[in-house]
Amino acid sequence: MAKMILDFEKPILELEKKVEEMRRYADNPDIAQEIARIEKRVRQLQQSVYSGLTRWQKVQMARHADRPYTLDYIQLMTTDFVELHGDRAFKDDKAIVGGLARIGDTSVMIMGQQKGRDTKSNVYRNFGMPNPEGYRKAMRLMKLAEKFGRPVITLLDTPGAFPGLEAEERGQAEAIARNLFEMARLRVPIIVVIIGEGASGGALGLGIGDRILMLEYAWYSVISPESCSSILWRSWEYKEQAAEALQLTAPDLKKQGIIDAIVPEPLGGAHRDHQQMAAILKETLLQELKALKKLKPEKLVERRIDKFSRMGVTVG
Amino acid sequence: MSWFRRSKENIAAETQKKEIPDGLWTKCDACGEIIHKKELQKNFFTCSKCNAHFRVGSEEYLAVLLDEDSFKESDKKMRSGDPLKFVDTKKYRDRTNDAIKKTRLYDALRWGTGTIKDLPVVLAVMDFSFIGGSMGSVVGEKIARAVDKAWKTKTPLIIVSSSGGARMMEGALSLMQMAKTSAKLTRLADVRKPYISILTDPTTGGVTASFAMLGDVIIGEPNALIGFAGPRVIKQTIGKDLPPGFQRSEFLLEHGFLDMVVHRRDMRDTVHSILTHLA
C-alpha cells in the first residue's frame, strides 16, 4: 500500500507481504500455524523498531509521503466542512486551508498548513510553505471564530514559511508576528496540534493556543535538522546529530514544557492507518474542547499568556 | 559589500566587519573614507561622508537615546541555563562562556529604565556581538520583564533590535521566545502605553517575526538589513540574484512595513517627539 518506504520499515513490510501471500493457502492447517507465527514476529519487530526510533528517524516519519495531512484530518474527523478562502487583501494562499466544521456536535474553525501528495499538488500547495497572505487568511478566520464564539483548532505541518522574494516584500515577518500577538489574546479557545513537521516560525505562526498537542512522530523546533547542520557544522551531512542536539521530538518537547500532551499514533505511524489516527485525534480534541468550554474568555486569555510567559530556562 | 568579497572571507566575517574598531583610525566599509575614532564617536558611529551606519553595541545605543547617567540596568547577570546541553562542533556552554569573555556581556540583550529628555522610558537594547544577537531564553525573559515593567508602571517601552534570529542552541525553547515576547506585548497594548521598535542592521528571523515588527511605531536605521529569511536562503530558493536594496530599511519603508527611516543622530529627537504625542 505504501508508496514510500523508509529503511527501517522495510523488514516489517517484507514480513507483512509474506503473510499476505501465505494467506492464499490458509486452508492448509500447517500454513495457518505458520501465518500466526509470522504475524507474531511482525508485531514483535514493529514494537522493537518503533520503540527504538532515533530522533532523525522520527523526523522521517513526520515527513512520510503517505502521512495524513490537514485536509485528511478535516475530512475524517469533522462533518459539514465549509472551506473559507482568502485574506481579503491580496489572495488566497493554498498552503494554508481552513474553514468551519463540526466536530462531535461543536462548530469550530479548523485550519492548518496543507502539503501536496504528488508533484502537481505540491506545486499547487507550495509544499506546505505559506506566504504572508496565508497567515493573514488564518487570522481572518480566527477573528471570525472570535466574533461568533467558536473554538479554533489549528493543525501544524510545514517545512517552514516560504523564503521567497515576494514573501519578504509582503511582510512575512510582520504576518507571523501579528498572528502571535493576536492569537495570544483571541477570546475563544484555541487548540494547536502539531501533526507532522513543525518547522520554526512558519509553524508557530498558527501555534499559539490554550492547549498544545503533538502527535507521537511529529517534530517541532526552531530550525530543521538539515539547516541546523548546514549552519553549525557548515555541511548538510550532520542532520542526524543536529536532530539529536535539537531535541525536537514529542517526548523532548513534553519534557521542555512546551507541549501539553502527546497524541499516540497507530503502531507503525499515522500513515499506516489514517482512520485510526483520525479517530484517536478526534477523541482527544473532543475532550480538550469540553474542558476549555468551561473557561471565561478573560481567564482563557490570561492563562494563555501566562503559559507562554513561563517558557525558557535562565540562570541569575 | 559585493558578494565576491564576502565569500572570500567566509560567512562569519561579515558580522564582524562593522564593529567598533580599536585603533585610532578606521575605514568606512561603504565608501573607504578614513575616519578618526573621535570623529566617528561624535557622529554616533556613522560615516560623515557617506552616512553608513556602523554596527554598535548596547552601550553605544544607550548613549544615543538616553539622558546621560539615567540608565538603571536590571537583570544584568542573567544567563542561559543551557536547557538542552547542546553540543555541535562546540559545546553551547563553552560558546556562551567565550562570548561572555569576549563581549563582557552576559547575553544578547540588556534592559532597564532611563529617561529621554526627562521622559521616563523602559528600554531594551540588543547586542549583535553576542552570538549574532540571537534570541534564546535570556533575551525572551528580559524582554518579558521589560514589558512587565512598562505595563505595571505605565511607562513607554523602547526596544532596539539587532539579531540574526532565534538561537538554535536552545531548540524549540528559543522558538517559544517569539510567542512569549509577543504574548506579553498584548498586555502593554491593553494599558495603552506606546511601544517604539527601532530596527538596526541586521534584524532578521525570529526577532523580526515577533516583537520587532509589533511596535506601535517602527523605525529603521538607514540601510539596515531587515527581513524574515536571510538573503542567502532566498537567493538559493529562487535561484536568482536579489535586486539592489532588497530587505533594506528603505525597501521596507516603500513596502509599508516601517513608519520611517531615521539617521542615528536624529533618533533621540524623533523618539522623544513620538513619545510627547503618545505617552
Side-chain angles (χ1 to χ4, degrees):
Chain A
M1 181 195 104
K3 284 172 287 189
M4 174 190 186
I5 299 167
L6 298 169
D7 281 347
F8 52 87
E9 290 181 314
K10 261 184 207 155
I12 297 166
L13 293 174
E14 272 163 19
L15 277 178
E16 280 178 345
K17 208 174 147 198
K18 204 167 157 190
V19 170
E20 219 169 283
E21 277 167 16
M22 287 168 77
R23 281 239 166 83
R24 279 184 240 153
Y25 311 100
D27 42 356
N28 180 331
D30 287 350
I31 289 183
Q33 221 175 16
E34 178 70 5
I35 288 175
R37 201 181 59 80
I38 298 180
E39 276 181 331
K40 198 177 155 201
R41 250 182 69 200
V42 172
R43 274 195 301 278
Q44 282 168 346
L45 189 62
Q46 277 184 320
Q47 254 138 24
S48 77
V49 166
Y50 290 103
S51 62
L53 290 183
T54 65
R55 292 187 170 94
W56 172 248
Q57 285 173 326
K58 286 186 185 178
V59 171
Q60 290 176 295
M61 293 280 280
R63 291 174 179 165
H64 201 290
D66 301 331
R67 201 172 166 83
Y69 298 145
T70 295
L71 283 173
D72 299 314
Y73 284 108
I74 292 176
Q75 199 210 332
L76 293 166
M77 297 192 307
T78 72
T79 53
D80 298 334
F81 177 54
V82 183
E83 188 175 350
L84 303 171
H85 295 89
D87 68 344
R88 297 284 195 274
F90 180 68
K91 74 192 280 191
D92 182 48
D93 189 347
K94 309 293 189 289
I96 288 182
V97 296
L100 293 159
R102 197 164 284 117
I103 180 162
D105 48 18
T106 309
S107 269
V108 298
M109 189 67 83
I110 187 165
M111 64 192 77
Q113 292 100 349
Q114 179 66 35
K115 291 180 176 176
R117 282 262 171 242
D118 49 34
T119 310
K120 200 178 155 202
S121 61
N122 257 321
V123 169
Y124 182 70
R125 299 290 179 190
N126 199 29
F127 296 85
M129 294 188 284
N131 275 285
E133 51 274 19
Y135 295 104
R136 291 177 184 135
K137 166 165 83 173
M139 184 41 59
R140 185 177 76 82
L141 301 194
M142 287 186 233
K143 291 281 185 189
L144 188 61
E146 183 181 50
K147 180 174 173 181
F148 293 95
R150 298 287 177 265
V152 172
I153 297 171
T154 66
L155 307 178
L156 274 47
D157 188 15
T158 178
F162 187 59
L165 193 136
E166 290 86 1
E168 294 289 323
E169 276 181 355
R170 295 196 293 273
Q172 189 73 286
E174 194 276 341
I176 292 171
R178 186 64 49 199
N179 277 19
L180 305 183
F181 185 86
E182 295 297 344
M183 287 183 89
R185 64 175 184 179
L186 202 77
R187 292 167 63 84
V188 290
I190 306 174
I191 304 173
V192 177
V193 193
I194 302 115
I195 57 168
E197 295 195 86
S200 198
L204 186 68
L206 301 181
I208 313 296
D210 304 294
R211 296 284 291 170
I212 316 294
L213 316 176
M214 186 162 170
L215 298 201
E216 193 176 355
Y217 302 123
W219 71 269
Y220 194 18
S221 194
V222 66
I223 190 165
S224 74
E226 290 93 333
S227 300
C228 179
S229 163
S230 88
I231 295 171
L232 291 180
W233 281 267
R234 297 184 183 241
S235 146
W236 297 93
E237 300 304 309
Y238 294 86
K239 50 188 190 287
E240 284 94 347
Q241 281 100 314
E244 289 297 315
L246 284 168
Q247 299 182 37
L248 39 60
T249 66
D252 292 329
L253 272 92
K254 183 84 174 61
K255 214 169 94 186
Q256 292 160 32
I258 292 172
I259 60 164
D260 297 297
I262 301 171
V263 183
E265 297 191 17
L267 193 57
H271 62 279
R272 297 289 306 262
D273 194 338
H274 287 201
Q275 265 80 16
Q276 199 193 342
M277 183 68 249
I280 297 169
L281 184 57
K282 182 182 175 182
E283 195 47 48
T284 312
L285 287 172
L286 287 174
Q287 282 171 23
E288 298 285 357
L289 281 171
K290 206 172 147 194
L292 288 174
K293 265 184 199 165
K294 292 174 192 148
L295 292 166
K296 290 214 162 65
E298 295 75 30
K299 192 80 198 155
L300 210 56
V301 170
E302 190 191 321
R303 280 187 11 163
R304 195 184 300 144
I305 296 170
D306 286 342
K307 173 191 181 66
F308 283 92
S309 299
R310 282 192 297 273
M311 293 180 189
V313 180
T314 60
V315 183
Chain B
M1 284 239 292
S2 51
W3 280 100
F4 59 84
R5 199 166 75 192
R6 180 171 130 176
S7 61
K8 208 171 162 185
E9 284 169 353
N10 83 25
I11 302 154
E14 208 216 4
T15 63
Q16 306 291 333
K17 255 202 292 195
K18 282 191 188 170
E19 276 167 34
I20 308 156
D22 280 336
L24 270 182
W25 296 90
T26 187
K27 194 171 139 185
C28 173
D29 273 319
C31 72
E33 178 80 350
I34 307 289
I35 315 164
H36 194 272
K37 198 178 170 183
K38 283 246 173 71
E39 171 86 5
L40 192 63
Q41 203 163 356
K42 212 181 78 200
N43 271 326
F44 303 95
F45 299 96
T46 64
C47 175
S48 48
K49 194 177 163 204
C50 76
N51 271 337
H53 282 49
F54 286 56
R55 280 181 190 165
V56 296
S58 52
E59 198 57 40
E60 289 77 19
Y61 226 97
L62 290 167
V64 167
L65 287 175
L66 292 182
D67 298 336
E68 220 176 324
D69 296 324
S70 73
F71 185 61
K72 289 193 182 50
E73 187 170 359
S74 300
D75 304 311
K76 190 176 176 182
K77 295 193 168 176
M78 188 190 287
R79 26 188 309 179
S80 167
D82 189 13
L84 307 186
K85 305 268 171 286
F86 193 96
V87 183
D88 51 275
T89 52
K90 195 174 170 182
K91 281 186 188 160
Y92 177 41
R93 176 55 70 218
D94 294 342
R95 234 181 244 278
T96 44
N97 285 339
D98 290 353
I100 289 168
K101 252 184 240 156
K102 195 186 109 203
T103 62
R104 295 188 191 156
L105 300 160
Y106 288 86
D107 211 294
L109 180 131
R110 292 164 72 199
W111 86 276
T113 56
T115 56
I116 297 177
K117 299 184 189 180
D118 296 327
L119 282 181
V121 294
V122 174
L123 184 70
V125 186
M126 299 192 75
D127 276 286
F128 191 76
S129 60
F130 196 99
I131 317 189
S134 53
M135 171 163 67
S137 297
V138 176
V139 170
E141 180 63 23
K142 282 189 173 184
I143 296 252
R145 290 188 190 189
V147 178
D148 272 345
K149 178 80 178 181
W151 173 48
K152 282 176 189 153
T153 59
K154 297 199 165 37
T155 310
L157 172 70
I158 299 162
I159 303 178
V160 182
S161 297
S162 57
S163 171
R167 188 173 294 169
M168 278 176 283
M169 293 77 109
E170 292 182 32
L173 282 166
S174 291
L175 184 66
M176 292 308 136
Q177 304 312 309
M178 294 169 63
K180 176 172 173 169
T181 53
S182 305
K184 279 282 185 189
L185 281 170
T186 62
R187 288 194 170 150
L188 189 62
D190 286 343
V191 296
R192 294 178 203 288
K193 283 293 151 189
Y195 158 39
I196 300 176
S197 176
I198 299 173
L199 313 184
T200 70
D201 184 62
T203 301
T204 59
V207 166
T208 321
S210 62
F211 63 85
M213 271 293 155
L214 292 172
D216 295 308
V217 177
I218 309 180
I219 307 172
E221 282 198 344
N223 202 41
L225 179 77
I226 301 165
F228 178 64
R232 215 156 36 99
V233 176
I234 299 169
K235 205 178 151 186
Q236 274 169 13
T237 308
I238 64 172
K240 272 188 242 166
D241 279 333
L242 301 171
F246 180 64
Q247 289 186 313
R248 298 287 165 180
S249 289
E250 297 72 14
F251 174 92
L252 271 90
L253 180 71
E254 195 54 36
H255 284 89
F257 291 99
L258 295 182
D259 286 285
M260 58 192 103
V261 176
V262 174
H263 194 288
R264 199 177 282 158
R265 70 165 170 262
D266 302 322
M267 199 59 87
R268 179 175 147 94
D269 287 345
T270 306
V271 169
H272 179 261
S273 169
I274 296 164
L275 290 181
T276 59
H277 284 295
L278 296 178

